[in-house]
Amino acid sequence: MYNGRRRVVVTGMGAVTPLGDSIDEYWSSLVAGKSGIVPMTLADPTEYPCKVAGEIPDFDPGKYMNPREARRMARFSQTAVAAAALAVEDSGINLSAEDEERMGVVMGNGNGGFPTTEDNARTLVKRGGMRVSPFFIPMILPNMAAANVSRLYGLKGYTSTVITACAAGTQGIGEAAEAIRRGVADVVLGGGCEAGICQLGLGGFNVIKALSRSDVPPERASRPFDANRDGFVPAEGAAIFVLESLEHALDRGADILAEVAGYGVSSDAFHAVQPDEDGAGAARAMRWAIEDAGMKPADIDYINAHGTSTPKNDMVETLAIKKVFGEGAYSVPISSTKSMIGHALGGAGALEAIACIKSIQDGVIHPTINYETPDPDCDLDYVPNKARQAQVNTALSNSFGFGGQNACVVFKAFTDE
């Protein structure tokens, strides 16, 4: 127990990412500074300035579920089920031997079945409403990722969906941990997913100038904190974690990967799409997550930044880190996973949480690639271009979404104290 609350640990991880569908492949690519951003194929980008994306290579949902089930799911649900299958396998948990009412799912998601919505809208216009797929509604609803994982794995306990834009994946982990902390579940699959690359989404993000327009090789398009950054690169992916109460994990002899130590959520209450210009909202979420962990800013060994590669976000996040860490901001290493996989929106925070946990396990911090031209407004240690050996006992993961939705999670190395 910590402060009268149950301790929550991570016992399994699974992910499907632009850098592969195994944790080892994903992590080794991040450490090597390898980019998963490629010329866009999931949508025709001809009429748009952004023509690159972080796409899951050769994704075959039939590897993870019955093909008939897969055909009745939108791609975002397929990625969630795939990540869940991998996480359950990684954890070694025998779900059939567990109390199904004490197991649940919390998934973060931003858009639901955006490409499926686009496809059916085209059908409506061309052929009429009675030609829309009978599976259209249950395919597109954002809660269907959690619902499908729950249904296929028989998880009948606490289940929820977090829809807080780019903060959703991190909040999915945090809310899953909270369910265990307050005693309503012993095991929760928590994480985030997104698979929204389509012309409708491209149009929406391009017209507000959120996406990169650089005419550079795909692997160089995402440039967090660099002075020449010009927008984020759209991406897809999912990551899910098997979270358990410490007691439950110890009772079954689980291999504990890390502990979820702290969680903080805040709102900017400022603007629909722009971050609070003084970084106050992001700073609150970071500070509250650190306090929730019973720590001080000086206890944090590594920050996985939101780091989108948009001009204002990276500047504001830098300012927020300075607000929380003071002069210590200049000595804590920071890196952006999005420099290599792009921005997976509701799935981003969960994909980045893997990097935090692997940094703790392996003592390595992956780089922020494409950091070439320093920006005077972004003057911290972003671990530029090359991985770094470092002892990481605690890691802070930041996620900040449209609408001023902020979520942060603190992970720490597990000890039995």
Side-chain angles (χ1 to χ4, degrees), residues 372-398:
E372 299 168 351
T373 307
D375 180 345
D377 290 326
C378 298
D379 59 348
L380 301 179
D381 176 8
Y382 305 111
V383 191
N385 302 312
K386 185 177 180 180
R388 182 181 303 170
Q389 299 287 327
Q391 182 173 349
V392 179
N393 293 313
T394 58
L396 171 68
S397 187
N398 289 344

mmCIF file of all heavy atoms in Angstrom, residues 372-398:
data_model
loop_
_atom_site.group_PDB
_atom_site.id
_atom_site.type_symbol
_atom_site.label_atom_id
_atom_site.label_comp_id
_atom_site.label_asym_id
_atom_site.label_seq_id
_atom_site.Cartn_x
_atom_site.Cartn_y
_atom_site.Cartn_z
ATOM 1 N N GLU A 372 18.505 19.238 -35.518
ATOM 2 C CA GLU A 372 19.668 19.765 -36.231
ATOM 3 C C GLU A 372 19.926 21.245 -35.971
ATOM 4 O O GLU A 372 21.073 21.680 -35.891
ATOM 5 C CB GLU A 372 19.473 19.550 -37.741
ATOM 6 C CG GLU A 372 19.352 18.087 -38.133
ATOM 7 C CD GLU A 372 18.863 17.890 -39.558
ATOM 8 O OE1 GLU A 372 18.451 18.902 -40.181
ATOM 9 O OE2 GLU A 372 18.873 16.747 -40.043
ATOM 10 N N THR A 373 18.854 22.025 -35.849
ATOM 11 C CA THR A 373 18.993 23.473 -35.681
ATOM 12 C C THR A 373 18.393 23.895 -34.355
ATOM 13 O O THR A 373 17.171 23.824 -34.171
ATOM 14 C CB THR A 373 18.281 24.232 -36.824
ATOM 15 O OG1 THR A 373 18.747 23.737 -38.081
ATOM 16 C CG2 THR A 373 18.549 25.724 -36.726
ATOM 17 N N PRO A 374 19.195 24.306 -33.390
ATOM 18 C CA PRO A 374 18.661 24.688 -32.075
ATOM 19 C C PRO A 374 17.683 25.853 -32.178
ATOM 20 O O PRO A 374 17.838 26.760 -32.991
ATOM 21 C CB PRO A 374 19.914 25.077 -31.286
ATOM 22 C CG PRO A 374 21.029 24.363 -31.968
ATOM 23 C CD PRO A 374 20.668 24.336 -33.422
ATOM 24 N N ASP A 375 16.682 25.791 -31.334
ATOM 25 C CA ASP A 375 15.685 26.860 -31.219
ATOM 26 C C ASP A 375 15.898 27.523 -29.857
ATOM 27 O O ASP A 375 15.864 26.842 -28.826
ATOM 28 C CB ASP A 375 14.284 26.249 -31.304
ATOM 29 C CG ASP A 375 13.168 27.280 -31.185
ATOM 30 O OD1 ASP A 375 13.440 28.418 -30.766
ATOM 31 O OD2 ASP A 375 12.012 26.926 -31.499
ATOM 32 N N PRO A 376 16.102 28.833 -29.803
ATOM 33 C CA PRO A 376 16.328 29.485 -28.508
ATOM 34 C C PRO A 376 15.163 29.330 -27.536
ATOM 35 O O PRO A 376 15.355 29.429 -26.321
ATOM 36 C CB PRO A 376 16.551 30.960 -28.882
ATOM 37 C CG PRO A 376 16.043 31.098 -30.276
ATOM 38 C CD PRO A 376 16.213 29.771 -30.928
ATOM 39 N N ASP A 377 13.955 29.057 -28.045
ATOM 40 C CA ASP A 377 12.804 28.828 -27.172
ATOM 41 C C ASP A 377 12.723 27.382 -26.695
ATOM 42 O O ASP A 377 11.902 27.063 -25.830
ATOM 43 C CB ASP A 377 11.502 29.185 -27.904
ATOM 44 C CG ASP A 377 11.355 30.678 -28.128
ATOM 45 O OD1 ASP A 377 11.810 31.462 -27.274
ATOM 46 O OD2 ASP A 377 10.794 31.059 -29.178
ATOM 47 N N CYS A 378 13.539 26.515 -27.268
ATOM 48 C CA CYS A 378 13.581 25.101 -26.890
ATOM 49 C C CYS A 378 15.043 24.760 -26.600
ATOM 50 O O CYS A 378 15.767 24.255 -27.463
ATOM 51 C CB CYS A 378 13.032 24.225 -28.006
ATOM 52 S SG CYS A 378 11.304 24.534 -28.430
ATOM 53 N N ASP A 379 15.460 25.063 -25.385
ATOM 54 C CA ASP A 379 16.889 25.030 -25.057
ATOM 55 C C ASP A 379 17.244 24.005 -23.987
ATOM 56 O O ASP A 379 18.227 24.164 -23.262
ATOM 57 C CB ASP A 379 17.348 26.424 -24.612
ATOM 58 C CG ASP A 379 16.584 26.943 -23.397
ATOM 59 O OD1 ASP A 379 15.548 26.331 -23.033
ATOM 60 O OD2 ASP A 379 17.015 27.959 -22.821
ATOM 61 N N LEU A 380 16.460 22.921 -23.899
ATOM 62 C CA LEU A 380 16.736 21.886 -22.905
ATOM 63 C C LEU A 380 17.488 20.722 -23.556
ATOM 64 O O LEU A 380 17.842 20.774 -24.727
ATOM 65 C CB LEU A 380 15.416 21.422 -22.276
ATOM 66 C CG LEU A 380 14.613 22.532 -21.573
ATOM 67 C CD1 LEU A 380 13.310 21.970 -20.998
ATOM 68 C CD2 LEU A 380 15.439 23.206 -20.475
ATOM 69 N N ASP A 381 17.714 19.681 -22.780
ATOM 70 C CA ASP A 381 18.462 18.510 -23.262
ATOM 71 C C ASP A 381 17.486 17.513 -23.870
ATOM 72 O O ASP A 381 16.855 16.727 -23.161
ATOM 73 C CB ASP A 381 19.219 17.879 -22.096
ATOM 74 C CG ASP A 381 19.943 16.599 -22.495
ATOM 75 O OD1 ASP A 381 19.996 16.278 -23.705
ATOM 76 O OD2 ASP A 381 20.456 15.912 -21.588
ATOM 77 N N TYR A 382 17.378 17.527 -25.188
ATOM 78 C CA TYR A 382 16.428 16.663 -25.879
ATOM 79 C C TYR A 382 17.058 15.368 -26.390
ATOM 80 O O TYR A 382 16.498 14.702 -27.254
ATOM 81 C CB TYR A 382 15.782 17.435 -27.045
ATOM 82 C CG TYR A 382 15.148 18.731 -26.609
ATOM 83 C CD1 TYR A 382 15.689 19.960 -26.984
ATOM 84 C CD2 TYR A 382 14.022 18.736 -25.789
ATOM 85 C CE1 TYR A 382 15.118 21.153 -26.571
ATOM 86 C CE2 TYR A 382 13.436 19.924 -25.376
ATOM 87 C CZ TYR A 382 13.996 21.136 -25.768
ATOM 88 O OH TYR A 382 13.421 22.316 -25.352
ATOM 89 N N VAL A 383 18.200 14.996 -25.861
ATOM 90 C CA VAL A 383 18.922 13.778 -26.251
ATOM 91 C C VAL A 383 18.987 13.717 -27.782
ATOM 92 O O VAL A 383 18.430 12.823 -28.418
ATOM 93 C CB VAL A 383 18.263 12.511 -25.664
ATOM 94 C CG1 VAL A 383 19.169 11.280 -25.850
ATOM 95 C CG2 VAL A 383 17.940 12.694 -24.185
ATOM 96 N N PRO A 384 19.658 14.657 -28.397
ATOM 97 C CA PRO A 384 19.605 14.784 -29.856
ATOM 98 C C PRO A 384 20.313 13.657 -30.600
ATOM 99 O O PRO A 384 21.477 13.356 -30.344
ATOM 100 C CB PRO A 384 20.294 16.127 -30.120
ATOM 101 C CG PRO A 384 21.167 16.357 -28.925
ATOM 102 C CD PRO A 384 20.456 15.734 -27.771
ATOM 103 N N ASN A 385 19.553 12.996 -31.466
ATOM 104 C CA ASN A 385 20.063 12.153 -32.550
ATOM 105 C C ASN A 385 20.769 10.855 -32.160
ATOM 106 O O ASN A 385 20.956 9.989 -33.012
ATOM 107 C CB ASN A 385 20.994 12.979 -33.447
ATOM 108 C CG ASN A 385 20.284 14.192 -34.019
ATOM 109 O OD1 ASN A 385 19.180 14.076 -34.538
ATOM 110 N ND2 ASN A 385 20.906 15.357 -33.889
ATOM 111 N N LYS A 386 21.133 10.691 -30.930
ATOM 112 C CA LYS A 386 21.865 9.495 -30.525
ATOM 113 C C LYS A 386 21.405 9.047 -29.148
ATOM 114 O O LYS A 386 21.286 9.856 -28.230
ATOM 115 C CB LYS A 386 23.369 9.772 -30.506
ATOM 116 C CG LYS A 386 24.221 8.542 -30.219
ATOM 117 C CD LYS A 386 25.710 8.876 -30.279
ATOM 118 C CE LYS A 386 26.560 7.652 -29.991
ATOM 119 N NZ LYS A 386 28.016 7.965 -30.037
ATOM 120 N N ALA A 387 21.138 7.743 -29.007
ATOM 121 C CA ALA A 387 20.706 7.198 -27.721
ATOM 122 C C ALA A 387 21.768 7.425 -26.655
ATOM 123 O O ALA A 387 22.958 7.604 -26.956
ATOM 124 C CB ALA A 387 20.404 5.710 -27.859
ATOM 125 N N ARG A 388 21.331 7.385 -25.410
ATOM 126 C CA ARG A 388 22.228 7.677 -24.304
ATOM 127 C C ARG A 388 22.065 6.631 -23.195
ATOM 128 O O ARG A 388 20.949 6.308 -22.787
ATOM 129 C CB ARG A 388 21.917 9.066 -23.740
ATOM 130 C CG ARG A 388 22.819 9.519 -22.607
ATOM 131 C CD ARG A 388 22.398 10.896 -22.122
ATOM 132 N NE ARG A 388 22.405 11.882 -23.214
ATOM 133 C CZ ARG A 388 21.890 13.112 -23.102
ATOM 134 N NH1 ARG A 388 21.324 13.491 -21.968
ATOM 135 N NH2 ARG A 388 21.938 13.938 -24.135
ATOM 136 N N GLN A 389 23.162 6.116 -22.706
ATOM 137 C CA GLN A 389 23.138 5.256 -21.537
ATOM 138 C C GLN A 389 22.873 6.119 -20.300
ATOM 139 O O GLN A 389 23.477 7.171 -20.124
ATOM 140 C CB GLN A 389 24.473 4.534 -21.378
ATOM 141 C CG GLN A 389 24.847 3.617 -22.543
ATOM 142 C CD GLN A 389 24.028 2.357 -22.575
ATOM 143 O OE1 GLN A 389 23.643 1.826 -21.536
ATOM 144 N NE2 GLN A 389 23.755 1.861 -23.773
ATOM 145 N N ALA A 390 21.953 5.671 -19.457
ATOM 146 C CA ALA A 390 21.633 6.436 -18.246
ATOM 147 C C ALA A 390 20.871 5.535 -17.281
ATOM 148 O O ALA A 390 20.082 4.683 -17.701
ATOM 149 C CB ALA A 390 20.797 7.666 -18.586
ATOM 150 N N GLN A 391 21.101 5.744 -15.999
ATOM 151 C CA GLN A 391 20.311 5.018 -15.008
ATOM 152 C C GLN A 391 18.977 5.730 -14.857
ATOM 153 O O GLN A 391 18.918 6.888 -14.448
ATOM 154 C CB GLN A 391 21.032 4.969 -13.662
ATOM 155 C CG GLN A 391 20.255 4.165 -12.620
ATOM 156 C CD GLN A 391 21.040 3.980 -11.332
ATOM 157 O OE1 GLN A 391 22.232 4.268 -11.273
ATOM 158 N NE2 GLN A 391 20.373 3.489 -10.297
ATOM 159 N N VAL A 392 17.920 5.032 -15.202
ATOM 160 C CA VAL A 392 16.580 5.622 -15.140
ATOM 161 C C VAL A 392 15.754 4.811 -14.143
ATOM 162 O O VAL A 392 15.348 3.678 -14.420
ATOM 163 C CB VAL A 392 15.898 5.614 -16.523
ATOM 164 C CG1 VAL A 392 14.494 6.216 -16.432
ATOM 165 C CG2 VAL A 392 16.743 6.385 -17.537
ATOM 166 N N ASN A 393 15.521 5.400 -13.000
ATOM 167 C CA ASN A 393 14.657 4.770 -11.999
ATOM 168 C C ASN A 393 13.230 5.279 -12.075
ATOM 169 O O ASN A 393 12.291 4.587 -11.675
ATOM 170 C CB ASN A 393 15.211 5.006 -10.588
ATOM 171 C CG ASN A 393 16.527 4.291 -10.365
ATOM 172 O OD1 ASN A 393 16.667 3.111 -10.694
ATOM 173 N ND2 ASN A 393 17.511 4.997 -9.819
ATOM 174 N N THR A 394 13.084 6.522 -12.567
ATOM 175 C CA THR A 394 11.760 7.121 -12.667
ATOM 176 C C THR A 394 11.646 7.839 -14.008
ATOM 177 O O THR A 394 12.592 8.488 -14.469
ATOM 178 C CB THR A 394 11.514 8.135 -11.540
ATOM 179 O OG1 THR A 394 12.515 9.156 -11.597
ATOM 180 C CG2 THR A 394 11.559 7.465 -10.179
ATOM 181 N N ALA A 395 10.484 7.737 -14.615
ATOM 182 C CA ALA A 395 10.251 8.385 -15.905
ATOM 183 C C ALA A 395 8.876 9.034 -15.909
ATOM 184 O O ALA A 395 7.902 8.447 -15.440
ATOM 185 C CB ALA A 395 10.358 7.374 -17.046
ATOM 186 N N LEU A 396 8.813 10.224 -16.455
ATOM 187 C CA LEU A 396 7.564 10.979 -16.584
ATOM 188 C C LEU A 396 7.170 10.997 -18.052
ATOM 189 O O LEU A 396 7.963 11.376 -18.919
ATOM 190 C CB LEU A 396 7.764 12.412 -16.083
ATOM 191 C CG LEU A 396 6.637 13.411 -16.334
ATOM 192 C CD1 LEU A 396 5.402 13.059 -15.512
ATOM 193 C CD2 LEU A 396 7.107 14.838 -16.003
ATOM 194 N N SER A 397 5.940 10.603 -18.349
ATOM 195 C CA SER A 397 5.437 10.600 -19.720
ATOM 196 C C SER A 397 4.368 11.676 -19.864
ATOM 197 O O SER A 397 3.377 11.692 -19.117
ATOM 198 C CB SER A 397 4.846 9.229 -20.069
ATOM 199 O OG SER A 397 4.509 9.164 -21.438
ATOM 200 N N ASN A 398 4.563 12.581 -20.833
ATOM 201 C CA ASN A 398 3.665 13.721 -21.044
ATOM 202 C C ASN A 398 2.788 13.529 -22.269
ATOM 203 O O ASN A 398 3.278 13.107 -23.323
ATOM 204 C CB ASN A 398 4.465 15.008 -21.263
ATOM 205 C CG ASN A 398 5.145 15.516 -20.021
ATOM 206 O OD1 ASN A 398 4.815 15.108 -18.912
ATOM 207 N ND2 ASN A 398 6.095 16.414 -20.193
#
